[in-house]
């Protein structure tokens, strides 16, 4: 939980990395986006967990967190990253704009982070958390829409983790159901944890397409949980647990998809070039045809003139004058 409007501004005093570089979250806008043809669709292995197994859902005082199994991992990244946990960020019932990342300045209602650690190089998340290549996080932006049965598999347990340190068991299900259908379209950049100690150790993958939950489901997320324990005399609602947008310095965000504006520009350039080529070819063709026609016409005229000259009969002039001459 980030108490008070200036709560996160105090982080650097205790956690220096929070005031450093490569911080997250950021806003994705056209000036920093760069299309990267090498980015591949993510391949998720072991995400479909049997209902006989159980995830542990915990209220940790600043979010609701669900532990994941080490049999889950991601391929098509620089290393193999093994799943550790997922958690959520959200706003409040009066201002449901709780996503951490934004797109062209637009906030979404909430955001899910699925945290993985580099299991090729490190033994667990504790060892990996402060390394520059230690973590990989999948981020899903959430909008208000229709009821989402997959998210309900988590949301339905909120009443059991209402207060800090409470724990509930969630039957296994396919975690991939929480992600958008298109795993090949995403933003990719190097950033940080969005909570202290803000280590710049995260390879972020933020999916381009959002997922939807109902208004009622979002309201449950915004109102069901508390940062405080059951016996606390001053209960504190768990709301607005998102970090604000950070400076992006001179970094670029790689994207796995072509922006529509870029596609339209390419099409216009192609068709413009095509039309120009056709126009130039047509004009040249007309000029050549006119030149050939003029040449043929001139040739024909010259031939006729020579034939006429051959038919002319020349007569000598006479000395007889006209009778009407004065």
């Amino acid at each position: 939980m980030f108490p008070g409007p200036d709560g996160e501004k105090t982080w650097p005093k205790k956690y220096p990395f929070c005031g450093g570089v490569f911080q997250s979250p950021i806003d994705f806008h056209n000036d920093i986006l760069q299309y990267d043809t090498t980015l591949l669709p993510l391949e998720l292995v072991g995400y479909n967990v049997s209902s006989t197994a159980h995830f542990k859902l915990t209220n940790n005082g600043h979010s609701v967190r669900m532990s994941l199994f080490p049999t889950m991992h991601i391929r098509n990244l620089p290393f193999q990253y093994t799943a550790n946990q997922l958690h959520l960020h959200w706003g409040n019932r009066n201002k449901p704009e709780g996503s951490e990342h934004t797109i062209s300045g637009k906030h979404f209602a909430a955001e899910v982070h699925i945290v993985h650690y580099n299991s090729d190089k490190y033994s667990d998340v504790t060892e990996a958390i402060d390394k520059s290549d230690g973590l990989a996080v999948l981020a899903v932006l959430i909008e208000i829409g229709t009821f989402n049965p997959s998210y309900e598999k988590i949301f339905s347990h909120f009443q059991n983790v209402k207060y800090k340190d409470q724990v509930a068991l969630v039957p296994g299900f396919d975690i991939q159901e929480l992600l958008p259908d298109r795993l090949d379209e995403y933003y990719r950049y190097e950033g940080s944890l969005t909570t202290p100690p803000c280590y710049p150790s995260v390879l972020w993958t933020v999916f381009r397409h959002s997922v939807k939950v109902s208004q009622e489901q979002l309201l449950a997320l915004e109102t069901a949980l508390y940062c405080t324990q059951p016996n606390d005399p001053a209960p504190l609602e768990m709301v607005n647990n998102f970090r604000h947008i950070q400076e992006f310095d001179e970094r670029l965000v790689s994207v796995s998809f072509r922006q529509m504006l870029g596609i339209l520009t390419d099409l216009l350039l192609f068709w413009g070039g095509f039309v120009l080529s056709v126009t130039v070819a047509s004009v040249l063709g007309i000029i050549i045809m006119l030149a050939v026609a003029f040449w043929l016409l001139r040739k024909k005229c010259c031939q006729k003139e020579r034939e006429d000259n051959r038919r002319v009969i020349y007569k000598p002039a006479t000395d007889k004058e006209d009778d009407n001459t004065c």
Side-chain angles (χ1 to χ4, degrees):
M1 185 62 187
F2 314 144
D6 299 324
E8 65 187 75
K9 292 182 180 179
T10 65
W11 292 356
K13 295 177 182 178
K14 187 175 181 181
Y15 306 100
F17 283 108
C18 296
V21 295
F22 292 91
Q23 291 296 291
S24 298
I26 63 170
D27 176 57
F28 300 119
H29 54 276
N30 287 336
D31 292 344
I32 63 171
L33 303 184
Q34 176 178 267
Y35 176 57
D36 187 343
T37 58
T38 67
L39 294 178
L40 301 173
L42 295 182
E43 185 179 347
L44 307 177
V45 180
Y47 262 49
N48 192 359
V49 177
S50 169
S51 60
T52 59
H54 288 81
F55 302 114
K56 185 168 73 171
L57 188 69
T58 306
N59 179 333
N60 63 8
H62 56 80
S63 183
V64 60
R65 164 180 167 159
M66 192 171 81
S67 62
L68 300 174
F69 293 112
T71 52
M72 301 170 55
H73 56 269
I74 309 173
R75 288 180 182 158
N76 287 345
L77 290 178
F79 303 96
Q80 178 170 294
Y81 288 85
T82 296
N84 176 255
Q85 51 98 351
L86 68 78
H87 60 270
L88 296 103
H89 299 270
W90 60 91
N92 64 73
R93 74 188 83 185
N94 298 317
K95 192 175 183 182
E97 298 179 357
S99 71
E100 296 206 301
H101 291 91
T102 58
I103 298 178
S104 297
K106 176 189 174 181
H107 269 281
F108 293 77
E111 185 169 332
V112 178
H113 293 164
I114 306 178
V115 181
H116 304 70
Y117 71 93
N118 182 345
S119 52
D120 278 348
K121 296 181 68 173
Y122 309 109
S123 59
D124 55 33
V125 71
T126 303
E127 183 185 358
I129 196 169
D130 61 347
K131 308 300 189 300
S132 62
D133 57 359
L135 303 179
V137 177
L138 306 182
V140 181
L141 301 169
I142 297 177
E143 288 190 289
I144 299 173
T146 56
F147 177 82
N148 191 314
S150 298
Y151 275 82
E152 190 65 16
K153 293 173 183 178
I154 298 174
F155 289 10
S156 63
H157 295 274
F158 284 165
Q159 290 301 317
N160 299 322
V161 292
K162 195 173 185 69
Y163 298 101
K164 183 180 178 181
D165 297 330
Q166 289 185 331
V167 177
L169 296 180
V170 177
F173 65 96
D174 189 353
I175 298 297
Q176 188 168 331
E177 294 175 2
L178 303 177
L179 307 182
D181 293 333
R182 297 291 300 269
L183 300 183
D184 60 329
E185 295 192 353
Y186 54 81
Y187 305 89
R188 169 71 53 72
Y189 78 102
E190 294 180 356
S192 74
L193 302 174
T194 61
T195 55
C198 308
Y199 293 131
S201 57
V202 180
L203 182 64
W204 282 97
T205 300
V206 182
F207 291 105
R208 181 189 189 187
H209 300 286
S210 63
V211 299
K212 292 180 171 59
V213 301
S214 68
Q215 179 72 60
E216 292 74 20
Q217 287 178 302
L218 183 64
L219 188 62
L221 178 62
E222 294 165 342
T223 61
L225 304 169
Y226 287 82
C227 302
T228 47
Q229 295 178 324
N231 56 355
D232 195 299
L236 182 63
E237 279 190 308
M238 190 182 292
V239 293
N240 302 327
N241 62 346
F242 61 93
R243 190 184 191 187
H244 289 87
I245 295 300
Q246 303 297 299
E247 294 293 332
F248 197 57
D249 306 315
E250 297 180 357
R251 288 175 286 168
L252 288 176
V253 174
S254 297
V255 294
S256 64
F257 54 89
R258 298 297 298 269
Q259 291 285 81
M260 185 55 68
L261 180 61
I263 294 173
L264 290 177
T265 301
D266 290 345
L267 287 174
L268 288 173
L269 288 173
F270 171 77
W271 285 110
F274 177 74
V275 170
L276 179 62
S277 299
V278 170
T279 303
V280 170
S282 299
V283 171
L284 288 174
I286 291 170
I287 291 173
I288 292 170
M289 289 174 63
L290 289 174
V292 170
F294 179 76
W295 179 78
L296 291 173
L297 181 62
R298 185 174 178 81
K299 183 178 179 182
K300 185 174 182 181
C301 289
C302 289
Q303 288 177 342
K304 185 175 185 301
E305 189 174 313
R306 286 195 296 270
E307 291 174 358
D308 290 344
N309 287 340
R310 284 195 294 269
R311 289 195 294 267
V312 172
I313 300 174
Y314 292 95
K315 296 181 180 180
T318 63
D319 293 334
K320 185 179 180 179
E321 293 183 354
D322 195 316
D323 292 340
N324 294 325
T325 300
C326 296

